[in-house]
Amino acid sequence: MSAPVEKKLGEIHSKILAILKRPGGASLFEVREILKVGDSQEHLGRRLRDLYPHHIFNKTVKGRRLNYEWLRERPKGEWDYSEISKKDRASVLHDAHGVCQMCGKTIAADGIKLNIDHKIPQEWGGTSALENLWAICSGCNEGKRSFFATFDTKTMKQVLAFGSVHRRLLEALRLNSGKWFDSDFLRFVANFDDYQEDWQKRIRELRYFGIEIEVGKMKVGRRIQSRYRLVKDATTLPKDLSAAARKYEAFRAARNRVSR
Ligand SMILES: [Zn+2]
């Protein structure tokens, strides 16, 4: 593990911060216009991300752009500064074999560039440990960033704090009842505490509690991905969803043995 690193902030960072502190905040596009920087969007984005360890922003989607508005300073000690080690970086890239692990596009056939990405964002408590890293293309990286940005950090941390995998999945689906969630997002939520070999089954098991979840398909790059949405919620639920699901599974297995 490499030593914690705190990035030095320069004049450009203060300028960006000043703009985002204005009422209503601004999008990166607007920041670029105001600062008149002939900089690439990514460069400015990186500078903005340098501010995350120190400041909390409210991110909302406005039209086609993501809007950032300064909320407050981040409490000290909340940010995980550990950086990705060179060894882990190389190992993640090696294991990807030139394929985006999210959409399946390849360097050879599609000319993509692979980026090392935190599966669970650092803001939500994701670490720079190997199991939280993967290699994804720039398109997926951007898409994921704006998707994740629509959930605020505090809410996400509350969802991820549930010890029961069933409960975490349900609370995540409840964040946007009736809307689709892609399987990558739900896989993160399921795997947050412990590795779930069959997290899809955990979602299906929610129906034992009268919860209805619709499963759909969508095309992401070369892959067909599943997506899920909460159609009907339950009014009362057992305290420990996972224990109750296990109990019901055992009961079903016993019943099936009898009827055979
Ligand atoms: Zn991709």
Side-chain angles (χ1 to χ4, degrees):
M1 208 72 162
S2 54
V5 178
E6 191 174 332
K7 275 197 190 108
K8 280 242 155 56
L9 301 181
E11 201 188 334
I12 182 81
H13 294 102
S14 334
K15 282 183 180 166
I16 296 171
L17 189 60
I19 295 168
L20 301 184
K21 276 187 174 177
R22 293 178 189 178
S27 67
L28 267 186
F29 179 83
E30 288 162 332
V31 172
R32 189 153 65 144
E33 295 274 285
I34 295 164
L35 292 178
K36 294 185 175 63
V37 281
D39 221 339
S40 77
Q41 185 97 29
E42 282 160 71
H43 220 58
L44 214 52
R46 207 170 62 209
R47 261 99 182 236
L48 172 63
R49 289 197 290 280
D50 290 343
L51 293 169
Y52 289 174
H54 312 280
H55 302 275
I56 298 173
F57 300 95
N58 184 27
K59 296 172 220 173
T60 46
V61 179
K62 277 194 184 161
R64 285 171 53 223
R65 297 209 163 89
L66 203 56
N67 193 78
Y68 301 83
E69 188 179 5
W70 184 83
L71 267 185
R72 58 180 176 274
E73 289 195 7
R74 190 181 291 283
K76 283 221 181 316
E78 199 188 86
W79 192 260
D80 172 25
Y81 280 105
S82 52
E83 292 223 322
I84 305 167
S85 73
K86 268 188 189 156
K87 196 172 141 253
D88 286 352
R89 196 173 281 278
S91 139
V92 171
L93 278 178
H94 176 265
D95 291 347
H97 297 290
V99 182
C100 169
Q101 292 175 277
M102 195 181 248
C103 72
K105 284 186 184 168
T106 70
I107 294 177
D110 306 290
I112 53 149
K113 192 174 164 280
L114 286 178
N115 307 275
I116 309 284
D117 175 62
H118 290 88
K119 293 181 188 174
I120 298 161
Q122 282 176 298
E123 288 165 271
W124 298 355
T127 68
S128 295
L130 205 50
E131 60 269 21
N132 192 39
L133 302 173
W134 62 350
I136 60 175
C137 75
S138 306
C140 286
N141 207 8
E142 269 309 300
K144 202 190 121 184
R145 223 186 277 290
S146 23
F147 177 73
F148 279 0
T150 59
F151 303 103
D152 84 282
T153 308
K154 206 179 140 220
T155 311
M156 238 11 255
K157 277 191 168 170
Q158 278 166 358
V159 168
L160 296 174
F162 284 104
S164 150
V165 57
H166 297 86
R167 189 71 197 224
R168 278 202 302 280
L169 288 165
L170 175 61
E171 294 299 334
L173 286 160
R174 278 176 170 171
L175 289 178
N176 235 339
S177 189
K179 293 227 174 82
W180 291 104
F181 284 96
D182 68 54
S183 57
D184 281 316
F185 173 72
L186 293 170
R187 191 176 51 219
F188 298 142
V189 172
N191 289 321
F192 185 70
D193 226 15
D194 42 358
Y195 176 68
Q196 295 290 331
E197 181 121 43
D198 196 355
W199 60 270
Q200 290 100 328
K201 186 157 185 282
R202 303 287 93 80
I203 291 187
R204 289 195 300 274
E205 284 165 352
L206 286 171
R207 70 170 184 265
Y208 300 159
F209 310 110
I211 295 161
E212 278 174 36
I213 288 152
E214 190 183 350
V215 189
K217 299 272 177 223
M218 62 172 179
K219 203 159 186 269
V220 181
R222 289 169 190 277
R223 286 197 182 138
I224 301 290
Q225 247 193 9
S226 304
R227 54 182 191 165
Y228 301 82
R229 64 175 179 163
L230 182 62
V231 185
K232 189 175 156 258
D233 207 338
T235 39
T236 50
L237 286 168
K239 219 173 185 160
D240 187 339
L241 280 189
S242 293
R246 276 194 300 272
K247 216 168 151 185
Y248 188 73
E249 275 287 287
F251 161 76
R252 261 184 16 144
R255 190 185 56 189
N256 289 347
R257 272 198 299 276
V258 170
S259 64
R260 219 172 274 150

Short mmCIF file of all heavy atoms in Angstrom, two decimals, residues 149-201:
data_model
loop_
_atom_site.label_atom_id
_atom_site.label_comp_id
_atom_site.label_asym_id
_atom_site.label_seq_id
_atom_site.Cartn_x
_atom_site.Cartn_y
_atom_site.Cartn_z
N ALA A 149 -22.96 10.42 -10.10
CA ALA A 149 -23.05 11.77 -9.55
C ALA A 149 -24.49 12.18 -9.25
O ALA A 149 -24.74 13.12 -8.52
CB ALA A 149 -22.43 12.77 -10.52
N THR A 150 -25.46 11.43 -9.83
CA THR A 150 -26.85 11.78 -9.56
C THR A 150 -27.29 11.34 -8.16
O THR A 150 -28.34 11.72 -7.70
CB THR A 150 -27.81 11.17 -10.61
OG1 THR A 150 -27.65 9.76 -10.59
CG2 THR A 150 -27.52 11.67 -12.00
N PHE A 151 -26.47 10.52 -7.50
CA PHE A 151 -26.80 10.12 -6.13
C PHE A 151 -25.92 10.89 -5.17
O PHE A 151 -24.72 10.96 -5.37
CB PHE A 151 -26.57 8.62 -5.93
CG PHE A 151 -27.34 7.80 -6.90
CD1 PHE A 151 -26.71 7.22 -7.98
CD2 PHE A 151 -28.70 7.63 -6.74
CE1 PHE A 151 -27.43 6.48 -8.90
CE2 PHE A 151 -29.43 6.88 -7.66
CZ PHE A 151 -28.79 6.31 -8.73
N ASP A 152 -26.50 11.44 -4.12
CA ASP A 152 -25.63 12.20 -3.23
C ASP A 152 -24.92 11.26 -2.27
O ASP A 152 -25.41 10.18 -1.93
CB ASP A 152 -26.40 13.34 -2.54
CG ASP A 152 -27.13 12.88 -1.32
OD1 ASP A 152 -28.20 12.27 -1.47
OD2 ASP A 152 -26.62 13.11 -0.22
N THR A 153 -23.73 11.68 -1.88
CA THR A 153 -22.82 10.85 -1.10
C THR A 153 -23.44 10.36 0.20
O THR A 153 -23.30 9.20 0.56
CB THR A 153 -21.55 11.66 -0.80
OG1 THR A 153 -21.09 12.17 -2.04
CG2 THR A 153 -20.48 10.82 -0.18
N LYS A 154 -24.15 11.25 0.88
CA LYS A 154 -24.70 10.89 2.19
C LYS A 154 -25.72 9.75 2.04
O LYS A 154 -25.68 8.77 2.78
CB LYS A 154 -25.37 12.12 2.81
CG LYS A 154 -25.39 12.07 4.32
CD LYS A 154 -26.03 13.32 4.90
CE LYS A 154 -26.90 12.92 6.08
NZ LYS A 154 -28.16 13.67 6.12
N THR A 155 -26.62 9.89 1.06
CA THR A 155 -27.63 8.86 0.82
C THR A 155 -26.96 7.53 0.47
O THR A 155 -27.32 6.48 0.98
CB THR A 155 -28.54 9.28 -0.35
OG1 THR A 155 -28.96 10.61 -0.12
CG2 THR A 155 -29.73 8.37 -0.49
N MET A 156 -25.98 7.60 -0.42
CA MET A 156 -25.30 6.40 -0.87
C MET A 156 -24.60 5.69 0.28
O MET A 156 -24.63 4.47 0.39
CB MET A 156 -24.28 6.80 -1.94
CG MET A 156 -24.43 6.16 -3.28
SD MET A 156 -25.90 5.25 -3.62
CE MET A 156 -25.28 3.58 -3.52
N LYS A 157 -23.99 6.48 1.16
CA LYS A 157 -23.31 5.88 2.31
C LYS A 157 -24.32 5.19 3.22
O LYS A 157 -24.03 4.14 3.78
CB LYS A 157 -22.54 6.95 3.08
CG LYS A 157 -21.19 7.23 2.47
CD LYS A 157 -20.36 8.08 3.37
CE LYS A 157 -18.92 8.11 2.90
NZ LYS A 157 -18.15 9.12 3.62
N GLN A 158 -25.51 5.78 3.34
CA GLN A 158 -26.55 5.17 4.18
C GLN A 158 -26.99 3.84 3.59
O GLN A 158 -27.15 2.86 4.31
CB GLN A 158 -27.75 6.11 4.28
CG GLN A 158 -27.55 7.20 5.32
CD GLN A 158 -28.58 8.32 5.20
OE1 GLN A 158 -29.43 8.31 4.30
NE2 GLN A 158 -28.49 9.28 6.09
N VAL A 159 -27.14 3.82 2.26
CA VAL A 159 -27.54 2.57 1.58
C VAL A 159 -26.47 1.50 1.79
O VAL A 159 -26.77 0.36 2.14
CB VAL A 159 -27.77 2.82 0.08
CG1 VAL A 159 -27.89 1.51 -0.68
CG2 VAL A 159 -29.00 3.68 -0.15
N LEU A 160 -25.22 1.89 1.61
CA LEU A 160 -24.13 0.91 1.68
C LEU A 160 -23.83 0.46 3.10
O LEU A 160 -23.13 -0.52 3.31
CB LEU A 160 -22.87 1.50 1.02
CG LEU A 160 -23.00 1.79 -0.48
CD1 LEU A 160 -21.78 2.50 -1.00
CD2 LEU A 160 -23.25 0.52 -1.28
N ALA A 161 -24.37 1.18 4.08
CA ALA A 161 -24.08 0.85 5.48
C ALA A 161 -24.87 -0.36 5.97
O ALA A 161 -24.54 -0.95 6.99
CB ALA A 161 -24.35 2.05 6.36
N PHE A 162 -25.93 -0.75 5.24
CA PHE A 162 -26.71 -1.91 5.67
C PHE A 162 -25.89 -3.19 5.55
O PHE A 162 -25.28 -3.44 4.50
CB PHE A 162 -27.99 -2.05 4.83
CG PHE A 162 -29.05 -1.07 5.20
CD1 PHE A 162 -29.30 0.04 4.42
CD2 PHE A 162 -29.81 -1.25 6.37
CE1 PHE A 162 -30.29 0.97 4.77
CE2 PHE A 162 -30.79 -0.33 6.72
CZ PHE A 162 -31.03 0.78 5.93
N GLY A 163 -25.87 -3.98 6.61
CA GLY A 163 -25.08 -5.20 6.61
C GLY A 163 -25.69 -6.29 5.72
O GLY A 163 -24.98 -7.11 5.17
N SER A 164 -27.00 -6.27 5.57
CA SER A 164 -27.68 -7.31 4.79
C SER A 164 -27.64 -6.95 3.30
O SER A 164 -28.01 -5.85 2.91
CB SER A 164 -29.14 -7.44 5.27
OG SER A 164 -29.98 -7.84 4.20
N VAL A 165 -27.20 -7.92 2.50
CA VAL A 165 -27.08 -7.66 1.06
C VAL A 165 -28.46 -7.42 0.44
O VAL A 165 -28.63 -6.57 -0.44
CB VAL A 165 -26.32 -8.81 0.34
CG1 VAL A 165 -26.98 -10.15 0.58
CG2 VAL A 165 -26.24 -8.55 -1.16
N HIS A 166 -29.48 -8.14 0.92
CA HIS A 166 -30.83 -7.93 0.43
C HIS A 166 -31.31 -6.51 0.72
O HIS A 166 -31.92 -5.86 -0.11
CB HIS A 166 -31.79 -8.94 1.08
CG HIS A 166 -31.48 -10.37 0.74
ND1 HIS A 166 -30.57 -11.10 1.44
CD2 HIS A 166 -31.95 -11.17 -0.24
CE1 HIS A 166 -30.50 -12.32 0.91
NE2 HIS A 166 -31.33 -12.38 -0.12
N ARG A 167 -31.01 -6.08 1.92
CA ARG A 167 -31.43 -4.75 2.34
C ARG A 167 -30.72 -3.67 1.50
O ARG A 167 -31.32 -2.70 1.06
CB ARG A 167 -31.09 -4.57 3.82
CG ARG A 167 -31.67 -3.32 4.43
CD ARG A 167 -33.15 -3.50 4.54
NE ARG A 167 -33.84 -2.25 4.75
CZ ARG A 167 -34.82 -2.10 5.64
NH1 ARG A 167 -35.20 -3.12 6.38
NH2 ARG A 167 -35.43 -0.95 5.76
N ARG A 168 -29.43 -3.86 1.27
CA ARG A 168 -28.67 -2.88 0.46
C ARG A 168 -29.27 -2.77 -0.94
O ARG A 168 -29.46 -1.68 -1.45
CB ARG A 168 -27.20 -3.30 0.33
CG ARG A 168 -26.33 -2.93 1.51
CD ARG A 168 -24.86 -2.90 1.09
NE ARG A 168 -24.36 -4.14 0.54
CZ ARG A 168 -23.97 -5.19 1.26
NH1 ARG A 168 -24.03 -5.12 2.58
NH2 ARG A 168 -23.53 -6.28 0.68
N LEU A 169 -29.56 -3.94 -1.53
CA LEU A 169 -30.12 -3.93 -2.89
C LEU A 169 -31.48 -3.26 -2.92
O LEU A 169 -31.77 -2.46 -3.80
CB LEU A 169 -30.22 -5.37 -3.42
CG LEU A 169 -28.88 -6.02 -3.78
CD1 LEU A 169 -29.03 -7.52 -3.94
CD2 LEU A 169 -28.32 -5.40 -5.06
N LEU A 170 -32.30 -3.57 -1.91
CA LEU A 170 -33.64 -2.98 -1.87
C LEU A 170 -33.55 -1.46 -1.70
O LEU A 170 -34.23 -0.70 -2.39
CB LEU A 170 -34.45 -3.61 -0.73
CG LEU A 170 -35.83 -2.99 -0.49
CD1 LEU A 170 -36.72 -3.13 -1.72
CD2 LEU A 170 -36.52 -3.63 0.72
N GLU A 171 -32.70 -1.03 -0.77
CA GLU A 171 -32.58 0.42 -0.53
C GLU A 171 -32.05 1.14 -1.77
O GLU A 171 -32.44 2.26 -2.06
CB GLU A 171 -31.68 0.70 0.69
CG GLU A 171 -32.25 0.22 2.02
CD GLU A 171 -33.58 0.88 2.40
OE1 GLU A 171 -33.84 2.01 1.94
OE2 GLU A 171 -34.36 0.25 3.14
N ALA A 172 -31.15 0.47 -2.50
CA ALA A 172 -30.62 1.08 -3.73
C ALA A 172 -31.73 1.22 -4.77
O ALA A 172 -31.89 2.26 -5.39
CB ALA A 172 -29.48 0.23 -4.29
N LEU A 173 -32.54 0.16 -4.92
CA LEU A 173 -33.65 0.21 -5.89
C LEU A 173 -34.69 1.25 -5.48
O LEU A 173 -35.32 1.87 -6.32
CB LEU A 173 -34.32 -1.18 -5.99
CG LEU A 173 -33.51 -2.23 -6.75
CD1 LEU A 173 -33.97 -3.63 -6.39
CD2 LEU A 173 -33.62 -2.01 -8.26
N ARG A 174 -34.82 1.45 -4.18
CA ARG A 174 -35.78 2.43 -3.68
C ARG A 174 -35.35 3.87 -3.96
O ARG A 174 -36.17 4.78 -3.91
CB ARG A 174 -35.95 2.27 -2.16
CG ARG A 174 -36.92 1.17 -1.77
CD ARG A 174 -36.97 1.01 -0.27
NE ARG A 174 -38.04 0.11 0.16
CZ ARG A 174 -38.18 -0.32 1.41
NH1 ARG A 174 -37.30 0.06 2.33
NH2 ARG A 174 -39.17 -1.11 1.73
N LEU A 175 -34.06 4.06 -4.22
CA LEU A 175 -33.56 5.42 -4.50
C LEU A 175 -34.29 6.04 -5.67
O LEU A 175 -34.39 7.26 -5.79
CB LEU A 175 -32.06 5.39 -4.82
CG LEU A 175 -31.10 5.10 -3.67
CD1 LEU A 175 -29.69 5.05 -4.19
CD2 LEU A 175 -31.23 6.16 -2.59
N ASN A 176 -34.73 5.20 -6.57
CA ASN A 176 -35.39 5.69 -7.77
C ASN A 176 -36.47 4.70 -8.17
O ASN A 176 -36.36 4.03 -9.20
CB ASN A 176 -34.35 5.81 -8.89
CG ASN A 176 -34.33 7.19 -9.48
OD1 ASN A 176 -35.31 7.93 -9.34
ND2 ASN A 176 -33.25 7.53 -10.12
N SER A 177 -37.49 4.59 -7.34
CA SER A 177 -38.52 3.59 -7.55
C SER A 177 -39.16 3.73 -8.92
O SER A 177 -39.54 4.82 -9.32
CB SER A 177 -39.58 3.72 -6.45
OG SER A 177 -40.46 2.63 -6.53
N GLY A 178 -39.24 2.62 -9.66
CA GLY A 178 -39.87 2.63 -10.98
C GLY A 178 -38.89 2.90 -12.11
O GLY A 178 -39.19 2.65 -13.26
N LYS A 179 -37.70 3.41 -11.79
CA LYS A 179 -36.70 3.68 -12.84
C LYS A 179 -35.71 2.51 -12.92
O LYS A 179 -35.49 1.79 -11.96
CB LYS A 179 -35.96 4.98 -12.54
CG LYS A 179 -36.86 6.20 -12.63
CD LYS A 179 -36.18 7.30 -13.45
CE LYS A 179 -37.11 8.48 -13.69
NZ LYS A 179 -37.17 9.41 -12.56
N TRP A 180 -35.09 2.37 -14.08
CA TRP A 180 -34.16 1.26 -14.30
C TRP A 180 -32.80 1.52 -13.66
O TRP A 180 -32.29 2.63 -13.72
CB TRP A 180 -33.95 1.03 -15.79
CG TRP A 180 -35.16 0.49 -16.49
CD1 TRP A 180 -36.00 1.18 -17.30
CD2 TRP A 180 -35.65 -0.86 -16.45
NE1 TRP A 180 -37.00 0.36 -17.76
CE2 TRP A 180 -36.81 -0.89 -17.26
CE3 TRP A 180 -35.24 -2.03 -15.81
CZ2 TRP A 180 -37.54 -2.06 -17.45
CZ3 TRP A 180 -35.98 -3.19 -15.99
CH2 TRP A 180 -37.11 -3.20 -16.81
N PHE A 181 -32.21 0.47 -13.11
CA PHE A 181 -30.84 0.51 -12.63
C PHE A 181 -30.05 -0.53 -13.40
O PHE A 181 -30.51 -1.66 -13.55
CB PHE A 181 -30.77 0.16 -11.14
CG PHE A 181 -31.22 1.27 -10.25
CD1 PHE A 181 -32.51 1.32 -9.78
CD2 PHE A 181 -30.34 2.28 -9.90
CE1 PHE A 181 -32.93 2.36 -8.97
CE2 PHE A 181 -30.75 3.31 -9.08
CZ PHE A 181 -32.05 3.35 -8.61
N ASP A 182 -28.86 -0.17 -13.87
CA ASP A 182 -28.10 -1.17 -14.61
C ASP A 182 -27.42 -2.14 -13.65
O ASP A 182 -27.25 -1.86 -12.46
CB ASP A 182 -27.14 -0.55 -15.62
CG ASP A 182 -26.01 0.19 -14.98
OD1 ASP A 182 -25.32 -0.41 -14.14
OD2 ASP A 182 -25.81 1.36 -15.32
N SER A 183 -27.08 -3.30 -14.20
CA SER A 183 -26.58 -4.37 -13.34
C SER A 183 -25.23 -4.03 -12.72
O SER A 183 -24.94 -4.48 -11.62
CB SER A 183 -26.49 -5.68 -14.12
OG SER A 183 -25.68 -5.51 -15.25
N ASP A 184 -24.44 -3.18 -13.38
CA ASP A 184 -23.15 -2.81 -12.79
C ASP A 184 -23.35 -2.10 -11.45
O ASP A 184 -22.68 -2.40 -10.48
CB ASP A 184 -22.38 -1.88 -13.73
CG ASP A 184 -21.72 -2.65 -14.84
OD1 ASP A 184 -21.13 -3.70 -14.53
OD2 ASP A 184 -21.81 -2.22 -15.99
N PHE A 185 -24.29 -1.16 -11.46
CA PHE A 185 -24.55 -0.39 -10.25
C PHE A 185 -24.99 -1.32 -9.12
O PHE A 185 -24.47 -1.25 -8.01
CB PHE A 185 -25.62 0.66 -10.54
CG PHE A 185 -26.09 1.41 -9.33
CD1 PHE A 185 -25.26 2.34 -8.73
CD2 PHE A 185 -27.34 1.18 -8.79
CE1 PHE A 185 -25.68 3.03 -7.61
CE2 PHE A 185 -27.77 1.87 -7.68
CZ PHE A 185 -26.95 2.80 -7.08
N LEU A 186 -25.94 -2.21 -9.43
CA LEU A 186 -26.45 -3.10 -8.38
C LEU A 186 -25.41 -4.11 -7.94
O LEU A 186 -25.39 -4.53 -6.79
CB LEU A 186 -27.74 -3.77 -8.86
CG LEU A 186 -28.89 -2.77 -9.05
CD1 LEU A 186 -30.06 -3.42 -9.74
CD2 LEU A 186 -29.33 -2.17 -7.71
N ARG A 187 -24.53 -4.50 -8.88
CA ARG A 187 -23.45 -5.41 -8.49
C ARG A 187 -22.52 -4.74 -7.47
O ARG A 187 -22.10 -5.35 -6.50
CB ARG A 187 -22.68 -5.89 -9.71
CG ARG A 187 -21.74 -7.05 -9.37
CD ARG A 187 -21.05 -7.60 -10.59
NE ARG A 187 -20.42 -6.53 -11.34
CZ ARG A 187 -20.39 -6.47 -12.67
NH1 ARG A 187 -20.96 -7.39 -13.38
NH2 ARG A 187 -19.80 -5.46 -13.27
N PHE A 188 -22.24 -3.45 -7.68
CA PHE A 188 -21.41 -2.72 -6.70
C PHE A 188 -22.06 -2.74 -5.34
O PHE A 188 -21.43 -2.99 -4.33
CB PHE A 188 -21.26 -1.24 -7.07
CG PHE A 188 -20.60 -1.00 -8.36
CD1 PHE A 188 -21.03 0.04 -9.18
CD2 PHE A 188 -19.53 -1.76 -8.76
CE1 PHE A 188 -20.43 0.28 -10.38
CE2 PHE A 188 -18.93 -1.53 -9.96
CZ PHE A 188 -19.38 -0.51 -10.77
N VAL A 189 -23.35 -2.45 -5.35
CA VAL A 189 -24.09 -2.37 -4.10
C VAL A 189 -24.08 -3.73 -3.40
O VAL A 189 -23.81 -3.84 -2.21
CB VAL A 189 -25.54 -1.89 -4.36
CG1 VAL A 189 -26.38 -1.98 -3.10
CG2 VAL A 189 -25.53 -0.46 -4.88
N ALA A 190 -24.32 -4.79 -4.19
CA ALA A 190 -24.35 -6.14 -3.61
C ALA A 190 -22.99 -6.54 -3.06
O ALA A 190 -22.89 -7.11 -1.98
CB ALA A 190 -24.79 -7.14 -4.68
N ASN A 191 -21.93 -6.19 -3.79
CA ASN A 191 -20.60 -6.63 -3.40
C ASN A 191 -19.91 -5.69 -2.43
O ASN A 191 -18.74 -5.87 -2.12
CB ASN A 191 -19.71 -6.78 -4.63
CG ASN A 191 -20.12 -7.98 -5.46
OD1 ASN A 191 -20.47 -9.01 -4.91
ND2 ASN A 191 -20.11 -7.83 -6.76
N PHE A 192 -20.60 -4.69 -1.97
CA PHE A 192 -19.93 -3.68 -1.17
C PHE A 192 -19.30 -4.23 0.09
O PHE A 192 -18.18 -3.91 0.43
CB PHE A 192 -20.90 -2.55 -0.81
CG PHE A 192 -20.22 -1.43 -0.10
CD1 PHE A 192 -19.34 -0.61 -0.78
CD2 PHE A 192 -20.42 -1.22 1.26
CE1 PHE A 192 -18.69 0.41 -0.13
CE2 PHE A 192 -19.76 -0.19 1.91
CZ PHE A 192 -18.89 0.62 1.20
N ASP A 193 -20.02 -5.09 0.77
CA ASP A 193 -19.53 -5.59 2.05
C ASP A 193 -18.75 -6.89 1.90
O ASP A 193 -17.74 -7.11 2.54
CB ASP A 193 -20.72 -5.83 2.98
CG ASP A 193 -20.48 -5.27 4.36
OD1 ASP A 193 -19.54 -4.46 4.48
OD2 ASP A 193 -21.21 -5.62 5.28
N ASP A 194 -19.27 -7.74 1.05
CA ASP A 194 -18.69 -9.06 0.89
C ASP A 194 -18.93 -9.49 -0.55
O ASP A 194 -19.88 -9.04 -1.17
CB ASP A 194 -19.35 -10.07 1.85
CG ASP A 194 -20.86 -9.90 1.91
OD1 ASP A 194 -21.38 -8.98 1.25
OD2 ASP A 194 -21.53 -10.68 2.59
N TYR A 195 -18.10 -10.37 -1.06
CA TYR A 195 -18.25 -10.79 -2.44
C TYR A 195 -19.47 -11.69 -2.58
O TYR A 195 -19.62 -12.67 -1.86
CB TYR A 195 -16.99 -11.50 -2.93
CG TYR A 195 -17.15 -12.03 -4.32
CD1 TYR A 195 -17.26 -11.16 -5.40
CD2 TYR A 195 -17.24 -13.40 -4.56
CE1 TYR A 195 -17.44 -11.65 -6.68
CE2 TYR A 195 -17.41 -13.89 -5.84
CZ TYR A 195 -17.52 -13.00 -6.89
OH TYR A 195 -17.71 -13.48 -8.16
N GLN A 196 -20.37 -11.35 -3.49
CA GLN A 196 -21.58 -12.14 -3.72
C GLN A 196 -21.44 -12.86 -5.05
O GLN A 196 -21.45 -12.23 -6.09
CB GLN A 196 -22.80 -11.22 -3.78
CG GLN A 196 -23.11 -10.51 -2.49
CD GLN A 196 -23.63 -11.46 -1.43
OE1 GLN A 196 -24.26 -12.47 -1.74
NE2 GLN A 196 -23.36 -11.14 -0.18
N GLU A 197 -21.32 -14.16 -4.98
CA GLU A 197 -21.16 -14.94 -6.20
C GLU A 197 -22.39 -14.78 -7.09
O GLU A 197 -22.30 -14.57 -8.28
CB GLU A 197 -20.98 -16.41 -5.85
CG GLU A 197 -20.78 -17.29 -7.06
CD GLU A 197 -19.46 -18.03 -7.00
OE1 GLU A 197 -19.12 -18.55 -5.93
OE2 GLU A 197 -18.79 -18.08 -8.04
N ASP A 198 -23.59 -14.88 -6.48
CA ASP A 198 -24.82 -14.81 -7.26
C ASP A 198 -25.70 -13.68 -6.73
O ASP A 198 -26.72 -13.91 -6.11
CB ASP A 198 -25.55 -16.16 -7.18
CG ASP A 198 -26.62 -16.28 -8.26
OD1 ASP A 198 -26.86 -15.30 -8.98
OD2 ASP A 198 -27.23 -17.36 -8.36
N TRP A 199 -25.29 -12.46 -7.03
CA TRP A 199 -26.04 -11.32 -6.51
C TRP A 199 -27.40 -11.18 -7.18
O TRP A 199 -28.34 -10.66 -6.61
CB TRP A 199 -25.22 -10.04 -6.62
CG TRP A 199 -24.83 -9.71 -8.03
CD1 TRP A 199 -23.71 -10.12 -8.68
CD2 TRP A 199 -25.57 -8.93 -8.95
NE1 TRP A 199 -23.72 -9.63 -9.95
CE2 TRP A 199 -24.85 -8.89 -10.14
CE3 TRP A 199 -26.79 -8.24 -8.87
CZ2 TRP A 199 -25.30 -8.22 -11.26
CZ3 TRP A 199 -27.24 -7.56 -9.99
CH2 TRP A 199 -26.49 -7.56 -11.17
N GLN A 200 -27.52 -11.70 -8.43
CA GLN A 200 -28.82 -11.63 -9.12
C GLN A 200 -29.87 -12.44 -8.34
O GLN A 200 -31.03 -12.08 -8.29
CB GLN A 200 -28.73 -12.18 -10.55
CG GLN A 200 -27.93 -11.30 -11.49
CD GLN A 200 -26.52 -11.81 -11.68
OE1 GLN A 200 -25.94 -12.40 -10.76
NE2 GLN A 200 -25.95 -11.59 -12.84
N LYS A 201 -29.39 -13.56 -7.77
CA LYS A 201 -30.30 -14.40 -6.98
C LYS A 201 -30.78 -13.63 -5.75
O LYS A 201 -31.93 -13.72 -5.36
CB LYS A 201 -29.58 -15.69 -6.57
CG LYS A 201 -30.48 -16.68 -5.88
CD LYS A 201 -29.94 -18.11 -5.98
CE LYS A 201 -30.91 -19.11 -5.38
NZ LYS A 201 -30.86 -19.14 -3.91
#
